[in-house]
Amino acid sequence: KALAIRPDWSDVHLNLANALYDLRDLDAAAASYRRAAELRPADADLDDSLGNCLVAAGRVEEAREAYARSNSRRPEKWLRAL
C-alpha cells in the first residue's frame, strides 16, 4: 500500500527488497534494490545490498557492477573481489 501512495520513496523500495530477499524472491528483490538505488543514488549501501542479492541469485557479473558503483561512490571503502 505504501508503494502505491509514495512510489518515489526509496525507503519503501528498500523495505520491500529486504522482505523479498528474506523470502528468497531474489529477482524481485534485486528489482526493488535497483529502484531504491535509482531514487537515492548517493547511497552506496544500496548498491552493496543489490550486489549481495545478485550474488545470492548467481548473477555474479551484475553483482560486480553493483559493487563497482558502490566503490566509486565511496572510494575509501576497500575494493571487493569475487
Side-chain angles (χ1 to χ4, degrees), residues 36-76:
E38 289 169 0
L39 292 168
R40 201 165 53 195
D43 189 341
D45 291 334
L46 295 173
D47 282 315
D48 283 339
S49 295
L50 172 59
N52 295 340
C53 179
L54 292 167
V55 166
R59 295 161 58 183
V60 177
E61 287 305 315
E62 289 176 78
R64 285 186 179 139
E65 293 170 11
Y67 291 140
R69 278 191 307 276
S70 173
N71 288 334
S72 72
R73 292 185 180 109
R74 194 173 34 201
E76 74 281 357

Side-chain angles (χ1 to χ4, degrees), residues 13 15-30 32:
H13 291 278
N15 289 337
L16 177 59
N18 289 334
L20 291 166
Y21 184 90
D22 289 344
L23 293 170
R24 306 309 288 167
D25 187 348
L26 300 177
D27 290 334
S32 290

